[in-house]
Amino acid sequence: MGKRVGMEVSIAASEAVRLANVDVIAAYPITPQTHIVEHLSEFVNNGELDAEFVPVESEHSAMSVCSGSQAVGARSFTCTSSQGLILMSEIVYCTAAMRLPVIMVLANRSLSNPISIWNDHTDVMSIRDCGWIQYFAENGQDVFDHVLISYRVGEDRDVMLPVIVNMDGFSVSHVIEPVELVDQETVDKFLPPYKPDIVLDPAHPVTMGAIVLPSCYTEAKKAQDEAVKASMPTILKGWQEFGDLTGRYYHPIEEYRTEGAEVLLVTMGGIGETAMWAVDQMREKGRPVGLLKMRLWRPFPFEEFRKAASKARMLVVVDRAISYGGPGGPVASELRSALYNEPKRPLVANFIAGLASRDVAPFDFIEMVDRAEGACKKGMEPEYEIYGVRE
Amino acid sequence: MKPEQDYKWRDFERGYVITEPGSSREYHTGDWRSQRPIFDKERCIKCGVCWIFCPDCAIRFDAEGYAEMDLDYCKGCGICSRECLPGAITMVDEEG
């Protein structure tokens, strides 16, 4: 089994990229992602990783380089945050539509303005519909494992899609955690070399990224939608096989103390671990509260979610982003939508919390459950609320 | 390649890759034209200015070196007519 070490999570992410033996890294430094790209440049400089490191002039170029290198058959990696992500977003959409399985780690950070270098999910939610497979990691081990799993899943001939591994900036990316590394031999067993069937090659010219006319665009988008949906069995298989090798098994939705739960907290990302504490405290007092942690965001795990949510009376969904003037947080909106046609569905309360790294402590989760219960008793279906805002 | 309107969603190569080089020639952009160039050979001095300016590479030269418009790809923009030094190209409305 692998070695268990104390390691900054950003460094663990770089270790996974090295173990995946990538061919090309193109990235531009931005807080809080910088440690990943710095560490990777050291690997390349020290000869510990045989890869091209392209120090690009912007994130737009970073994703352009990665898409180009992936198109010639080179395993590629980039990472970014916040403004960097939205600057590269034009190409992010192309990478998915062109079915180039680039892997990107996002150290999630708020979007400007006001300028904030701290953590929430407003950056990645701005590209929610980009067509990438999207995971949310909860801790360092998740991040390390999901870099490897992403290459395996993304490059599978049945998938061929890029993958985003989200981790919370600072609260996950910069903390030192125990991480069990996987040795090279095990990684090589799990992750075969990248061999796409169609590549850019002057000897066999093909066109990538061409125009289609209105007569074909609808069919093109249908094909893309089906491709993302069809990735689900390979994602599940990837987790299963990774679990068989390492003993760590992952699921689209991780359930915590959901037996007999009438109320379920729902989180995505690092705050899930804090929510576990809150659930323990409420359970000790005999309150039937459990927790659902969304690990897979795209493709959306409809079946698993409906199954997990069906027995609850109420969901208390904690969002880390807001849709201004819209239906609340993106996670709650999608969960509501997923439940709408169900014959029996729980109420969905939505709290937007933890913006720009504002602490969400165990007692905050308990307060949210209390508030949602209170509103429920008054017969009002709770709508969204920006939690903890000073009036 | 088959006509575009015959494509069903399963028919695309993965990522919409086109595996047949040069297939854009099959798309006759001349269909877009609302005006067509009329060429007066008597006035042409074979200078090639129209060939330089044509944004669609829709002008070629015949065996004698006179300009010739390829109406399969000429979109009727009129740049050749505007630039032609001796005024040998006139734009006229397409019928209908």
Side-chain angles (χ1 to χ4, degrees), chain B residues 2-69:
Chain B
K2 60 184 166 185
E4 65 209 57
Q5 63 273 14
D6 290 351
Y7 272 80
K8 298 187 173 70
W9 71 266
R10 287 187 181 83
D11 295 344
F12 294 101
E13 289 284 350
R14 186 197 297 128
Y16 325 123
V17 169
I18 300 169
T19 52
E20 189 184 315
S23 60
S24 62
R25 285 184 192 175
E26 291 171 32
Y27 182 39
H28 290 172
T29 46
D31 290 356
W32 302 8
R33 203 171 49 238
S34 60
Q35 287 195 318
R36 77 164 55 217
I38 302 297
F39 177 59
D40 182 354
K41 197 170 174 178
E42 298 300 315
R43 290 191 173 205
C44 179
I45 58 171
K46 305 181 184 175
C47 67
V49 162
C50 55
W51 176 83
I52 290 169
F53 276 90
C54 177
D56 279 301
C57 303
I59 292 175
R60 52 189 180 229
F61 301 107
D62 67 12
E64 293 172 72
Y66 289 106
E68 199 172 63
M69 285 75 191

Side-chain angles (χ1 to χ4, degrees), chain A residues 3-282:
Chain A
K3 201 165 64 163
R4 192 171 155 90
V5 291
M7 188 179 264
E8 184 189 321
V9 172
S10 291
I11 309 298
S14 330
E15 282 290 342
V17 174
R18 185 182 63 78
L19 285 161
N21 196 17
V22 302
D23 301 307
V24 174
I25 300 154
Y28 190 84
I30 182 170
T31 302
Q33 160 275 132
T34 309
H35 290 184
I36 305 175
V37 61
E38 277 178 355
H39 205 69
L40 286 169
S41 69
E42 281 173 23
F43 279 147
V44 174
N45 182 61
N46 298 345
E48 294 167 82
L49 172 61
D50 181 18
E52 285 292 326
F53 187 95
V54 190
V56 284
E57 75 279 26
S58 77
E59 289 82 356
H60 189 278
S61 301
M63 189 50 71
S64 301
V65 166
C66 285
S67 298
S69 53
Q70 199 80 36
V72 301
R75 183 174 285 166
S76 306
F77 178 81
T78 190
C79 45
T80 191
S81 297
S82 184
Q83 308 306 115
L85 177 65
I86 54 173
L87 179 57
M88 72 162 56
S89 66
E90 179 187 0
I91 313 302
V92 170
Y93 281 73
C94 300
T95 311
M98 292 167 71
R99 310 287 298 278
L100 300 168
V102 175
I103 305 305
M104 170 160 67
V105 170
L106 291 183
N108 298 125
R109 162 184 154 183
S110 332
L111 289 181
S112 297
N113 199 288
I115 297 170
S116 158
I117 61 164
W118 292 275
N119 158 246
D120 56 43
H121 294 165
T122 50
D123 57 358
V124 65
M125 288 304 165
S126 75
I127 54 149
R128 184 190 64 174
D129 298 330
C130 63
W132 289 48
I133 293 172
Q134 298 174 49
Y135 296 121
F136 278 79
E138 189 178 303
N139 56 39
Q141 189 70 62
D142 264 14
V143 173
F144 176 86
D145 290 349
H146 278 83
V147 168
L148 299 171
I149 293 165
S150 296
Y151 278 112
R152 167 64 185 270
V153 169
E155 291 174 0
D156 191 295
R157 288 275 175 90
D158 292 339
V159 176
M160 290 295 281
L161 285 167
V163 186
I164 291 171
V165 180
N166 288 285
M167 67 165 160
D168 288 319
F170 296 115
S171 57
V172 175
S173 69
H174 280 52
V175 297
I176 293 173
E177 290 191 3
V179 178
E180 192 174 297
L181 302 179
V182 181
D183 60 64
Q184 189 69 61
E185 198 187 326
T186 311
V187 171
D188 292 345
K189 221 184 290 171
F190 178 68
L191 184 59
Y194 177 48
K195 289 207 176 106
D197 47 357
I198 301 176
V199 292
L200 282 182
D201 174 3
H204 305 281
V206 298
T207 303
M208 294 187 181
I211 189 173
V212 305
L213 298 175
S215 57
C216 283
Y217 190 82
T218 306
E219 284 68 27
K221 292 291 111 174
K222 166 78 173 169
Q224 194 179 347
D225 186 37
E226 291 298 328
V228 177
K229 287 196 275 184
S231 66
M232 188 64 102
T234 310
I235 292 170
L236 298 176
K237 194 176 93 191
W239 275 330
Q240 178 69 38
E241 289 178 12
F242 188 82
D244 292 345
L245 282 173
T246 63
R248 292 189 293 278
Y249 292 90
Y250 294 103
H251 308 93
I253 294 172
E254 304 291 348
E255 300 191 23
Y256 182 71
R257 303 191 74 168
T258 54
E259 342 60 68
E262 292 175 24
V263 176
L264 291 170
L265 278 161
V266 186
T267 61
M268 203 154 79
I271 62 167
E273 296 200 333
T274 321
M276 288 160 77
W277 278 67
V279 166
D280 286 346
Q281 288 175 29
M282 288 186 274

